[in-house]
Amino acid sequence: MSDTFEIAGQSFSSRLLVGTGKYKDFEETKVAIEASGAEIVTVAVRRVNVSDPSQPMLVDYVDPKKYTYLPNTAGCFTCDDAVRTLRLAREAGGWDLVKLEVLGDQQTLYPNMPETLKAAEMLIKEGFKVMVYCSDDPIAAKMLEDMGCVAIMPLGSLIGSGLGILNPVNIQIIKQNAKVPVLVDAGVGTASDAAYAMELGCDGVLMNTAIAGAKDPIAMAKAMKLAVESGRLAFKAGRMPKKQYGDPSSPTSGLIDAK
Amino acid sequence: MSDTFEIAGQSFSSRLLVGTGKYKDFEETKVAIEASGAEIVTVAVRRVNVSDPSQPMLVDYVDPKKYTYLPNTAGCFTCDDAVRTLRLAREAGGWDLVKLEVLGDQQTLYPNMPETLKAAEMLIKEGFKVMVYCSDDPIAAKMLEDMGCVAIMPLGSLIGSGLGILNPVNIQIIKQNAKVPVLVDAGVGTASDAAYAMELGCDGVLMNTAIAGAKDPIAMAKAMKLAVESGRLAFKAGRMPKKQYGDPSSPTSGLIDAK
Amino acid sequence: MSDTFEIAGQSFSSRLLVGTGKYKDFEETKVAIEASGAEIVTVAVRRVNVSDPSQPMLVDYVDPKKYTYLPNTAGCFTCDDAVRTLRLAREAGGWDLVKLEVLGDQQTLYPNMPETLKAAEMLIKEGFKVMVYCSDDPIAAKMLEDMGCVAIMPLGSLIGSGLGILNPVNIQIIKQNAKVPVLVDAGVGTASDAAYAMELGCDGVLMNTAIAGAKDPIAMAKAMKLAVESGRLAFKAGRMPKKQYGDPSSPTSGLIDAK
Amino acid sequence: MSDTFEIAGQSFSSRLLVGTGKYKDFEETKVAIEASGAEIVTVAVRRVNVSDPSQPMLVDYVDPKKYTYLPNTAGCFTCDDAVRTLRLAREAGGWDLVKLEVLGDQQTLYPNMPETLKAAEMLIKEGFKVMVYCSDDPIAAKMLEDMGCVAIMPLGSLIGSGLGILNPVNIQIIKQNAKVPVLVDAGVGTASDAAYAMELGCDGVLMNTAIAGAKDPIAMAKAMKLAVESGRLAFKAGRMPKKQYGDPSSPTSGLIDAK
């Protein structure tokens, strides 16, 4: 009955991963994360205070013993920046399971794929377990997996856009070719987007703005928890085939006959 | 915290309504309905044995004291047939909350709207509380409401097609104009379709083939329960706005700086 | 090579029908219609001056000897209004090929289908040749054809919305069931929408706002002419099948080999 | 009135580029190309006989003096293969305007972007004018432009799939950021797809299977010519805005009043 999945040998029950940015305050962050049921939370190490005890610290609200912290390189635009950021994160917190993202520009926040490939290679050599934000290009996704990345995280659409999964064909091809987990990262805007990502066969979904940017983030966190579960269950249940013409949804014999 | 809705003065917690046709046997019907969490089940009175005790009877598996039985007129192609069928149902089981459907042809199972309007009028005069399967035409939906129907049930797409909600614009207009509950009836194929119906603001979803026609109907019933709940929650939470260009999903200040 | 179609026994080459409203002035109307290549123009008889010679008259710009005038009942919300309007039109201009539209409300401009069915029946009895604006309901479309309408004109989406064809499945079913011409009426916003309508197998497209509401109506009229022709040609040519995975688009043998 | 565009300083009127593979024979190739109005034809130099006069030769049917031959590297899976192929093409035919494609696998025919970037750089250094097939990744597209490619050719969907433009958002971003021409390459299946590509603002469209794989390739070639022209014209004309609710498409005053 259990339906866990593994990243880098570690087993997780929740297939919803959440970010920790964009909330009103750490209290809201904490309650939203609890409502989401997430076991993995991503943390922008260049942006979140994880070491200065005179300031509010995320770790006081979101317990690193209870949640798997996944340091990410949000805000890094080169391989060097990203690698340096994650080395510091490892020194500061001992984290080696990390989320790599090397951005291409401020406008789209799309990944710079050549720099991403380079950074992934360096980080893997240094012993990091790299989960990697990438474009929805099946060839690049395969390169990242062959290189040793522990999870492939193609974008559904632009970070913070809420546009959903723009190219489900690519996501499906990536998943079909992959032996490591494939998690849709970026683009999900509402519950049906998350369910759809799971119905495509993905192993999980990572989101931040969809929850933090909703009018009621706590309610949306709960909605997303259910959406990911429902999409996963539907995928495993095996949906009915699509038809162009309907057929009666009731058996063809019966006893009450009004004629 | 509760989020019930009312049909004809009766309050319901579950916004997922399910059919009872197309299952392998009544045992599977029963378990699927339990997994779906539905409180209202539709029954094709011309097709399902509700009176001959020498044959297996749905009521022995799906307890009418526990579930609200909603007799429907599946298989009726004229106003007269539909009205006669529901009169018999009322005599047999005392039901007056009913689902009217008058079909237009065998091929599409689309409603015959003129006959549907006529039948709705007659049934309402005879004291029935009429929930009505209809096309996704906002003008016709309004006529049915003005006439006194207690719930409007526009199709998402063809019965048994699994094509999802083909015209979300119409469904939204119908909902915006309605004071009685609007339930999407027909067309849902998988979990994300159900979530989407709820995100459009609908009060509920009715389905049969999407569950009974899945490879694992019980798992899909559970998926649909979660999907409807997630879509409803997301609607109430208020989704993030859609943007064309992304923006960073992390706050712009922080303490660890790799530069 | 010719690809004409017939409405009520009359043969037409152009499959693009255009409205005459919403232009800056009659001069622009005239030039846009010329650019569109249309042979049939619809005229809102309750709105356009066709009889007072002291005012600018459409007939002085768009020659009724050159174009087939199709009087329409825009602005009519009841059967009676529509019938009365077309009787006056017949008296005034001798027109008996008409476009019936009975609207349901000011907000959506969707048709009131019961009133439309009633009006169609009356008009046909009075000898009118009725082209009829209707919802995209295949059952209603068939009734209108069986009743004797000479062309079925289902809406693509809301009048003046530019939302394109919201439910291509319905349009295709209507076309497959019809022996009279099916023309998409309302909803087209740009050239690809018009091409798509024709690729669905429709016999023609009627539009007004898509041309009159473009920044450059004359250029858009020309675009729409080409779009309708291209969609029609593509439909007749028989498009390639859709595949999920690509295959090389070049033959597999050759002489230059770089290896 | 003229609406030409330039690639590497050369001016073209037709915005439809066509492939030369997959036709029944060279005669059909020739007639289809003529019907398409294309001025640029791509030739898979590893597959097409351009030098052995004892065999049928494309140049005898498609005159290189009349058409711009664009040698492509179809079938090359590495930078080295592609570069070598184009050097041979330049030696054989003197061509330096070329279409680079380095494929990632046989199954998807998606580009291998790292190899593509490497090959583009080498070819540009050797004086080639490189038009480049690439993924729809805006960051990679910008790199290729910055490197000196003379045209960016993102895929609409998989080569030979006919799935249309799967991610219009990406195509639009690529176009907005580009100063060189952007041509959609691969994926177009029918006329409305081609019109849509142009409505997104692209400078042109390249296709092969959509024409050669149609039931009637010559008719489809003509359809595609009109579709590209219509989409271009519609883009330039400036389409009407999309609205959710309709408004009357006729002016609000008039003289005939049936009331």
Side-chain angles (χ1 to χ4, degrees):
Chain A
M1 213 47 141
S2 118
D3 179 40
T4 60
F5 75 116
E6 285 195 5
I7 301 177
Q10 211 176 329
S11 183
F12 299 95
S13 297
S14 169
R15 292 167 181 274
L16 174 57
L17 291 71
V18 297
T20 52
K22 289 199 141 186
Y23 288 98
K24 203 175 53 187
D25 53 31
F26 283 146
E27 180 60 27
E28 190 183 67
T29 311
K30 166 206 168 97
V31 182
I33 291 173
E34 282 172 2
S36 77
E39 295 169 344
I40 301 176
V41 299
T42 64
V43 181
V45 285
R46 295 182 64 176
R47 292 174 173 159
V48 170
N49 176 21
V50 288
S51 56
D52 176 355
S54 73
Q55 296 290 321
M57 290 180 70
L58 183 63
V59 292
D60 295 334
Y61 292 82
V62 180
D63 184 352
K65 293 199 187 91
K66 198 171 149 205
Y67 294 95
T68 297
Y69 266 54
L70 184 67
N72 73 54
T73 57
C76 294
F77 288 83
T78 65
C79 165
D80 285 354
D81 258 16
V83 170
R84 209 178 307 132
T85 298
L86 290 174
R87 284 180 191 144
L88 285 168
R90 180 153 65 176
E91 283 166 32
W95 299 298
D96 58 1
L97 180 65
V98 296
K99 183 186 155 204
L100 171 65
E101 51 181 274
V102 186
L103 302 179
D105 64 28
Q106 289 277 10
Q107 182 194 33
T108 65
L109 303 178
Y110 272 124
N112 179 322
M113 288 305 294
E115 291 290 295
T116 298
L117 285 157
K118 206 162 54 164
E121 195 166 27
M122 288 178 64
L123 291 166
I124 290 164
K125 273 192 192 133
E126 297 185 15
F128 285 95
K129 293 162 189 162
V130 180
M131 301 172 67
V132 57
Y133 167 65
C134 54
S135 71
D136 62 359
D137 170 354
I139 306 299
K142 194 70 194 157
M143 288 176 190
L144 289 164
E145 177 177 358
D146 290 345
M147 190 178 276
C149 289
V150 299
I152 307 301
M153 306 182 75
L155 53 88
S157 52
L158 295 88
I159 291 176
S161 72
L163 291 173
I165 296 183
L166 293 176
N167 192 335
V169 172
N170 277 11
I171 299 292
Q172 281 185 299
I173 297 174
I174 290 171
K175 175 59 195 168
Q176 283 160 14
N177 292 341
K179 291 191 183 65
V180 297
V182 173
L183 313 166
V184 166
D185 182 7
V188 163
T190 185
S192 55
D193 294 341
Y196 184 48
M198 299 307 295
E199 288 166 353
L200 294 173
C202 292
D203 300 278
V205 180
L206 170 56
M207 66 184 70
N208 188 355
T209 314
I211 295 175
K215 282 195 193 135
D216 179 345
I218 313 306
M220 190 56 93
K222 174 75 176 155
M224 289 299 188
K225 176 186 191 297
L226 298 176
V228 168
E229 289 173 9
S230 74
R232 176 65 184 172
L233 262 172
F235 173 72
K236 285 174 54 188
R239 64 160 288 160
M240 64 176 288
K242 289 190 184 184
K243 301 172 211 163
Q244 174 127 349
Y245 288 92
D247 45 12
S249 57
S250 304
T252 49
S253 65
L255 295 187
I256 294 186
D257 189 342
K259 274 181 199 163
Chain B
M1 213 46 143
S2 119
D3 180 39
T4 59
F5 74 116
E6 285 194 7
I7 302 178
Q10 211 177 330
S11 182
F12 299 96
S13 297
S14 169
R15 290 165 182 276
L16 174 56
L17 291 71
V18 297
T20 52
K22 289 199 141 184
Y23 288 98
K24 203 175 53 188
D25 52 31
F26 283 146
E27 180 60 29
E28 190 183 68
T29 310
K30 167 204 166 98
V31 182
I33 290 173
E34 281 171 4
S36 76
E39 294 169 343
I40 300 176
V41 299
T42 64
V43 181
V45 285
R46 294 181 65 175
R47 291 175 174 157
V48 170
N49 177 20
V50 289
S51 56
D52 176 357
S54 73
Q55 297 290 321
M57 290 179 70
L58 183 63
V59 291
D60 295 333
Y61 293 81
V62 180
D63 184 353
K65 295 201 188 89
K66 199 170 150 205
Y67 294 96
T68 297
Y69 267 52
L70 185 67
N72 73 53
T73 56
C76 294
F77 288 83
T78 64
C79 165
D80 285 352
D81 258 15
V83 170
R84 209 177 306 135
T85 298
L86 290 174
R87 284 179 191 148
L88 285 168
R90 183 153 61 176
E91 283 166 33
W95 298 299
D96 59 1
L97 180 66
V98 296
K99 183 187 156 202
L100 170 66
E101 50 182 275
V102 186
L103 303 178
D105 64 28
Q106 289 278 10
Q107 182 193 34
T108 65
L109 302 178
Y110 272 124
N112 179 322
M113 290 303 293
E115 293 289 297
T116 299
L117 286 157
K118 206 161 51 163
E121 196 166 25
M122 288 178 64
L123 291 166
I124 291 165
K125 274 191 193 137
E126 299 185 13
F128 286 96
K129 294 163 189 161
V130 179
M131 303 173 66
V132 57
Y133 167 65
C134 55
S135 72
D136 63 359
D137 170 354
I139 306 299
K142 196 67 194 158
M143 287 176 194
L144 289 163
E145 178 179 357
D146 290 345
M147 190 178 279
C149 288
V150 298
I152 306 301
M153 307 183 72
L155 54 86
S157 52
L158 295 87
I159 291 177
S161 73
L163 292 172
I165 296 182
L166 293 176
N167 191 334
V169 172
N170 277 11
I171 299 291
Q172 281 184 299
I173 296 174
I174 289 171
K175 175 60 194 166
Q176 283 161 14
N177 293 340
K179 292 192 183 64
V180 297
V182 173
L183 313 166
V184 166
D185 181 8
V188 162
T190 186
S192 55
D193 294 339
Y196 184 48
M198 299 306 297
E199 289 166 354
L200 294 173
C202 293
D203 299 277
V205 180
L206 169 56
M207 66 185 70
N208 187 355
T209 314
I211 295 175
K215 281 195 194 137
D216 180 345
I218 313 305
M220 189 56 92
K222 175 77 177 152
M224 289 300 186
K225 177 186 192 295
L226 299 176
V228 168
E229 289 172 9
S230 75
R232 176 66 185 171
L233 262 172
F235 173 72
K236 285 173 53 187
R239 64 159 290 161
M240 64 176 289
K242 290 189 182 185
K243 301 172 212 165
Q244 174 126 349
Y245 287 91
D247 46 11
S249 55
S250 305
T252 49
S253 66
L255 294 185
I256 295 186
D257 189 343
K259 272 180 199 162
Chain C
M1 214 45 141
S2 118
D3 179 38
T4 58
F5 74 117
E6 284 194 6
I7 301 178
Q10 210 176 330
S11 182
F12 299 95
S13 297
S14 168
R15 290 166 182 276
L16 174 56
L17 290 72
V18 297
T20 52
K22 290 197 142 187
Y23 289 98
K24 203 174 52 188
D25 52 31
F26 282 146
E27 180 61 27
E28 190 184 67
T29 311
K30 167 204 166 99
V31 181
I33 290 173
E34 282 172 3
S36 77
E39 295 167 343
I40 300 176
V41 299
T42 64
V43 181
V45 285
R46 294 182 66 175
R47 292 174 174 158
V48 170
N49 176 21
V50 289
S51 55
D52 176 356
S54 73
Q55 297 289 321
M57 290 179 69
L58 182 64
V59 292
D60 295 334
Y61 293 82
V62 179
D63 184 352
K65 295 201 188 89
K66 199 169 151 206
Y67 295 95
T68 296
Y69 266 53
L70 185 66
N72 73 53
T73 57
C76 295
F77 289 83
T78 65
C79 165
D80 285 353
D81 258 15
V83 170
R84 210 177 307 134
T85 299
L86 290 174
R87 284 180 191 147
L88 285 169
R90 182 154 62 177
E91 283 165 32
W95 298 298
D96 59 1
L97 181 65
V98 296
K99 184 186 156 203
L100 171 65
E101 51 182 274
V102 186
L103 303 179
D105 65 28
Q106 289 277 10
Q107 182 193 33
T108 65
L109 301 179
Y110 272 124
N112 179 322
M113 289 303 293
E115 292 289 298
T116 298
L117 285 157
K118 206 161 52 163
E121 196 166 26
M122 289 178 63
L123 291 165
I124 291 165
K125 274 192 193 137
E126 298 185 14
F128 285 96
K129 295 164 189 161
V130 179
M131 302 173 66
V132 57
Y133 166 65
C134 54
S135 72
D136 63 359
D137 171 353
I139 306 300
K142 195 67 193 160
M143 288 174 192
L144 289 163
E145 178 178 357
D146 290 344
M147 189 178 279
C149 289
V150 299
I152 306 300
M153 307 182 73
L155 53 87
S157 51
L158 296 87
I159 292 177
S161 72
L163 292 172
I165 295 181
L166 292 176
N167 191 334
V169 171
N170 277 10
I171 299 292
Q172 280 184 300
I173 296 175
I174 289 171
K175 175 59 194 167
Q176 283 161 14
N177 292 340
K179 292 193 182 65
V180 297
V182 173
L183 313 166
V184 166
D185 181 7
V188 163
T190 185
S192 55
D193 294 339
Y196 184 48
M198 299 307 296
E199 288 166 353
L200 294 174
C202 292
D203 299 277
V205 180
L206 168 57
M207 66 184 71
N208 187 354
T209 315
I211 295 175
K215 281 195 194 136
D216 180 344
I218 313 305
M220 189 56 91
K222 174 78 177 152
M224 289 300 186
K225 178 186 191 295
L226 298 176
V228 168
E229 290 173 8
S230 75
R232 176 66 186 172
L233 261 172
F235 173 72
K236 285 173 53 186
R239 66 160 288 161
M240 64 176 290
K242 289 189 182 184
K243 301 172 213 167
Q244 172 126 349
Y245 287 92
D247 45 12
S249 56
S250 304
T252 50
S253 66
L255 295 186
I256 294 186
D257 188 343
K259 274 181 198 161
Chain D
M1 214 47 140
S2 119
D3 178 40
T4 60
F5 74 117
E6 284 196 4
I7 302 177
Q10 211 176 328
S11 182
F12 298 96
S13 297
S14 168
R15 291 167 181 274
L16 174 57
L17 291 71
V18 296
T20 52
K22 290 200 141 185
Y23 289 98
K24 202 175 53 187
D25 54 31
F26 283 146
E27 180 62 27
E28 189 183 68
T29 311
K30 165 204 168 99
V31 182
I33 291 173
E34 282 172 2
S36 77
E39 294 169 344
I40 300 176
V41 300
T42 64
V43 181
V45 286
R46 293 182 65 176
R47 292 175 172 158
V48 170
N49 177 22
V50 289
S51 55
D52 176 355
S54 74
Q55 297 290 320
M57 290 180 70
L58 182 63
V59 292
D60 295 334
Y61 292 81
V62 180
D63 184 353
K65 294 199 187 91
K66 198 169 150 206
Y67 294 96
T68 297
Y69 266 54
L70 184 68
N72 72 54
T73 57
C76 294
F77 288 83
T78 65
C79 165
D80 285 354
D81 258 15
V83 171
R84 210 178 307 132
T85 298
L86 290 174
R87 284 180 190 144
L88 284 168
R90 180 152 66 176
E91 284 166 32
W95 298 298
D96 58 2
L97 180 66
V98 296
K99 183 185 156 204
L100 170 65
E101 52 181 271
V102 186
L103 302 178
D105 64 28
Q106 288 278 10
Q107 182 194 32
T108 65
L109 302 178
Y110 272 124
N112 179 322
M113 289 303 295
E115 292 289 297
T116 298
L117 285 157
K118 204 161 55 164
E121 195 165 28
M122 288 178 64
L123 290 166
I124 292 164
K125 273 193 193 134
E126 297 186 16
F128 285 95
K129 294 161 188 161
V130 180
M131 302 172 66
V132 57
Y133 167 65
C134 55
S135 71
D136 62 0
D137 170 353
I139 306 300
K142 195 68 195 159
M143 288 176 190
L144 289 164
E145 177 178 358
D146 290 345
M147 190 179 277
C149 289
V150 299
I152 306 301
M153 306 182 74
L155 53 87
S157 52
L158 295 88
I159 291 177
S161 72
L163 292 173
I165 296 182
L166 293 176
N167 192 334
V169 171
N170 277 11
I171 299 292
Q172 280 185 301
I173 296 174
I174 290 172
K175 174 60 194 167
Q176 282 161 13
N177 292 341
K179 292 192 182 65
V180 297
V182 173
L183 313 166
V184 166
D185 182 6
V188 163
T190 185
S192 55
D193 294 340
Y196 184 49
M198 299 307 296
E199 288 166 355
L200 294 173
C202 292
D203 300 277
V205 180
L206 169 56
M207 66 184 71
N208 188 354
T209 314
I211 295 175
K215 282 197 194 135
D216 179 345
I218 313 306
M220 190 57 92
K222 173 76 176 154
M224 289 299 188
K225 176 186 191 297
L226 298 176
V228 168
E229 290 173 8
S230 75
R232 176 66 184 171
L233 261 172
F235 173 72
K236 286 174 54 187
R239 65 159 288 161
M240 63 176 289
K242 289 190 185 185
K243 301 172 212 165
Q244 174 129 346
Y245 288 91
D247 45 14
S249 56
S250 304
T252 48
S253 65
L255 296 186
I256 294 187
D257 189 341
K259 275 181 198 162

